[in-house]
Amino acid sequence: MAALTELTAVELLEQLRRRACSSEEAVKAMGAVIRRRDPAIKGYLEVDEEAALDQARSADAARARGESGSLLGLPLAFKDVLNLAGQPCTCGSRILAGYRAPTDAGAIARLRREGAVFLGRTNMDEFAMGSSTENSAYQVTHNPWNPDRVPGGSSGGSAAVVAAGEAWAALGTDTGGSIRQPAAFCGCVGMKPSYGRVSRSGLVAYASSLDQIGPMTRDVRDAALLLKALAGPDPMDSTALDLPVPDYMAALATELKGMRIGLPKEYFVGGSDADVERAVQEAIAVCRKLGAEAVEVSLPHTHLAVPTYYIIATAEASANLARFDGVRYGTRTKADVHDPIEMYAKTRAEGFGAEVKRRIILGTYVLSSGYHDAYYLRAQKIRSLIRDDFDRAFGTCDVIMAPVTPTAAFALGAAATDPLQMYLGDIFTVPVNLAGLCGLSVPCGMTTDRLPVGLQIIGPAFGEEQVFRAGYAYEQATQWRHQRPPIADRTDLQQG
Ligand code: GLN
């Protein structure tokens, strides 16, 4: 049998159920892998092994008492933007150094009720703003496939630890692609649920009308398992809708008969790297062999999605980040100040990084009187047009398939010199958030430089079942999920 740490989450839970291992053993085994590999990856900001062991022992004791839970004893990593009672939550920012969460986020509380164990906090772009995790105030995370490449972002730490075998699964958040893009760059599975599927309470807000929490996993079945546990209403978040949560694992099938796959013509106009285009086309061919029918669809406002997203997201961020003022949360400037305004200014100048400041300034500008109608209001109108495009497309197809990103993982350092170029890389992911849809990233190939490529499967709002079905059938028909990055084979990192 494969080592404990190499199992999928579903397989590990099966071992736990059969008492072939304990959750305590699982945490210890993963702790050892993390100690060996994470110094080279730097995916975790903190691993609280003692706390995880306590939770694991409680889970083992609960099982011994005959209790159950869909995640009982499963250790998970989580992005450092989620509140866990008593734990630090920095959002990758200096401004939140020293802050400890007073309560569990709604999504975390659900996982805890199902018996999950929390292993550690993963690195991220500051306040989830970025596509490379290089905007973290704390450390640079390396792509497990190539240490000179970014892991993607903003949930780059979560993607890297899953891909490097340092976690069975992790939580990420996705405002404009931050689950799907790092999953694609690191070769793991990432699910961005429909807006309103998962509670955002206790998730530090970036852009409230776009943010969603979702799972990042080794395969599609694990993502289905975790979303089932994450999803559902929450009295603390009125946008988390009270709709039935399907049994996503039961929706998985290995054929795609009767499924219509929409291929948006605007997404296949030669704007992607040849390797990405080839891998995605091959994936679509596999799906057709499994019985799906491919139809061309049109999303005519695609070219407006990136500017629309960067107006709406920055506008919402400028309002959300106003709360970090040196009074209520986190750190305060140590400088000599003479009045509260100077204290706010110094605290924010010292506490925020360059990208966060850029976005607060942009967002404040597009909301300012005189510019509000020209930018923010107009962006909201275009957002409706983008949503209408998808509504029309889903009239003729069940899911849409596309690349996750136009390129594979780019070089560390490349984004810092040209933020605009980095924003443009979000072209295939931001429309999904603007329209409130769900999107899955599934590994679908490798570039000639041995970097993973992701297939994006987009579903209508609350259409997660059909997205999982398509993703699972495709994944099971191919071998990509068995690919391991070189770090998992390096023997110098395997000896304790
Ligand atoms: N890359 C996008 C941005 O920088 C998406 C980030 C996200 O989804 N959190 O805003």
Side-chain angles (χ1 to χ4, degrees):
M1 199 190 75
L4 212 51
T5 55
E6 298 287 317
L7 302 176
T8 67
V10 168
E11 288 166 351
L12 176 65
L13 282 163
E14 184 53 32
Q15 297 293 315
L16 291 168
R17 257 190 298 273
R18 292 178 27 221
R19 317 268 174 105
C21 70
S22 66
S23 178
E24 183 179 354
E25 281 163 3
V27 169
K28 283 186 175 154
M30 195 53 95
V33 171
I34 294 168
R35 276 191 295 281
R36 290 198 296 273
R37 295 183 191 166
D38 209 51
I41 298 291
K42 296 194 169 68
Y44 282 102
L45 285 170
E46 185 190 17
V47 178
D48 193 342
E49 200 170 324
E50 281 314 307
L53 282 171
D54 277 351
Q55 297 167 52
R57 287 185 202 108
S58 305
D60 291 332
R63 193 178 295 284
R65 288 195 300 273
E67 290 171 29
S68 58
S70 66
L71 308 177
L72 189 57
L74 176 69
L76 295 172
F78 58 97
K79 186 178 181 178
D80 194 28
V81 69
L82 292 158
N83 276 243
L84 262 82
Q87 294 273 340
C89 173
T90 70
C91 300
S93 183
R94 273 191 302 273
I95 210 161
L96 277 174
Y99 167 78
R100 278 183 188 267
T103 52
D104 279 344
I108 295 290
R110 280 186 179 275
L111 299 182
R112 225 191 264 285
R113 276 201 294 279
E114 292 300 326
V117 167
F118 299 99
L119 202 51
R121 300 181 288 121
T122 57
N123 197 23
M124 58 181 284
D125 284 303
E126 185 174 8
F127 287 105
M129 296 173 186
S131 305
S132 68
T133 308
E134 293 165 293
N135 295 334
S136 166
Y138 297 104
Q139 64 197 30
V140 170
T141 299
H142 298 264
N143 189 309
W145 289 89
N146 180 335
D148 301 328
R149 301 285 172 143
V150 302
S154 61
S155 315
S158 288
V161 300
V162 171
E166 298 176 37
W168 288 275
L171 295 182
T173 64
D174 191 312
T175 304
S178 281
I179 288 175
R180 290 160 289 158
Q181 184 258 22
F185 279 12
C186 291
C188 61
V189 169
M191 174 50 138
K192 196 254 354 141
S194 309
Y195 188 78
R197 185 72 289 188
V198 178
S199 165
R200 293 176 298 107
S201 83
L203 158 64
V204 180
Y206 164 13
S208 308
S209 76
L210 300 160
D211 299 340
Q212 275 291 295
I213 300 165
M216 305 177 76
T217 56
R218 292 181 180 171
D219 69 7
V220 174
R221 191 171 56 161
D222 283 359
L225 167 82
L226 285 173
L227 185 60
K228 168 87 180 149
L230 283 166
D234 179 354
M236 300 298 282
D237 175 11
S238 60
T239 66
L241 297 182
D242 192 0
L243 293 171
V245 180
D247 182 352
Y248 297 119
M249 272 168 76
L252 307 177
T254 49
E255 45 72 32
L256 292 176
K257 274 187 214 62
M259 182 172 275
R260 284 165 311 166
I261 298 174
L263 306 177
K265 63 172 192 240
E266 295 80 2
Y267 287 26
F268 294 95
V269 286
S272 301
D273 280 2
D275 281 350
V276 171
E277 182 95 20
R278 177 188 41 78
V280 171
Q281 292 292 359
E282 282 171 13
I284 293 161
V286 169
C287 293
R288 292 170 75 163
K289 278 213 192 82
L290 293 170
E293 181 196 342
V295 295
E296 186 181 273
V297 295
S298 177
L299 302 169
H301 296 93
T302 297
H303 63 294
L304 298 175
V306 169
T308 301
Y309 168 82
Y310 277 94
I311 288 171
I312 294 174
T314 57
E316 294 185 15
S318 70
N320 276 327
L321 271 59
R323 62 173 63 100
F324 303 108
D325 55 7
V327 177
R328 287 168 288 180
Y329 307 93
T331 52
R332 176 184 296 184
T333 182
K334 306 271 180 302
D336 257 349
V337 288
H338 306 98
D339 59 60
I341 301 293
E342 200 187 343
M343 190 280 285
Y344 297 153
K346 286 233 162 80
T347 297
R348 288 165 69 85
E350 290 167 15
F352 289 137
E355 183 65 23
V356 171
K357 286 177 185 160
R358 183 179 296 129
R359 295 194 189 199
I360 292 174
I361 292 168
L362 265 173
T364 307
Y365 177 76
V366 300
L367 286 176
S368 58
S369 67
Y371 294 102
H372 177 276
D373 290 7
Y375 292 109
Y376 185 69
L377 199 64
R378 219 151 144 225
Q380 291 292 12
K381 289 180 179 164
I382 298 170
R383 182 177 188 173
S384 300
L385 295 175
I386 290 170
R387 200 180 289 130
D388 293 348
D389 284 355
F390 279 104
D391 280 351
R392 224 167 293 119
F394 283 121
T396 59
C397 65
D398 303 300
V399 296
I400 287 173
M401 287 193 185
V404 179
T405 50
T407 69
F410 45 86
L412 282 166
T417 52
D418 192 351
L420 209 54
Q421 200 54 41
M422 194 185 68
Y423 298 172
L424 290 171
D426 295 339
I427 177 70
F428 300 134
T429 49
V430 294
V432 173
N433 303 72
L434 288 168
L437 314 174
C438 55
L440 181 73
S441 176
V442 188
C444 74
M446 302 295 283
T447 65
T448 43
D449 308 344
R450 297 284 304 156
L451 292 168
V453 178
L455 168 70
Q456 184 174 206
I457 308 177
I458 302 168
F462 296 90
E464 280 85 359
E465 275 177 289
Q466 60 223 50
V467 167
F468 278 133
R469 179 177 163 217
Y472 182 76
Y474 167 72
E475 174 195 77
Q476 294 301 307
T478 59
Q479 293 302 314
W480 302 116
R481 70 189 181 287
H482 299 308
Q483 301 259 347
R484 292 278 177 267
I487 185 149
D489 298 326
R490 275 180 53 186
T491 45
D492 54 325
L493 298 173
Q494 273 162 16
Q495 268 102 56

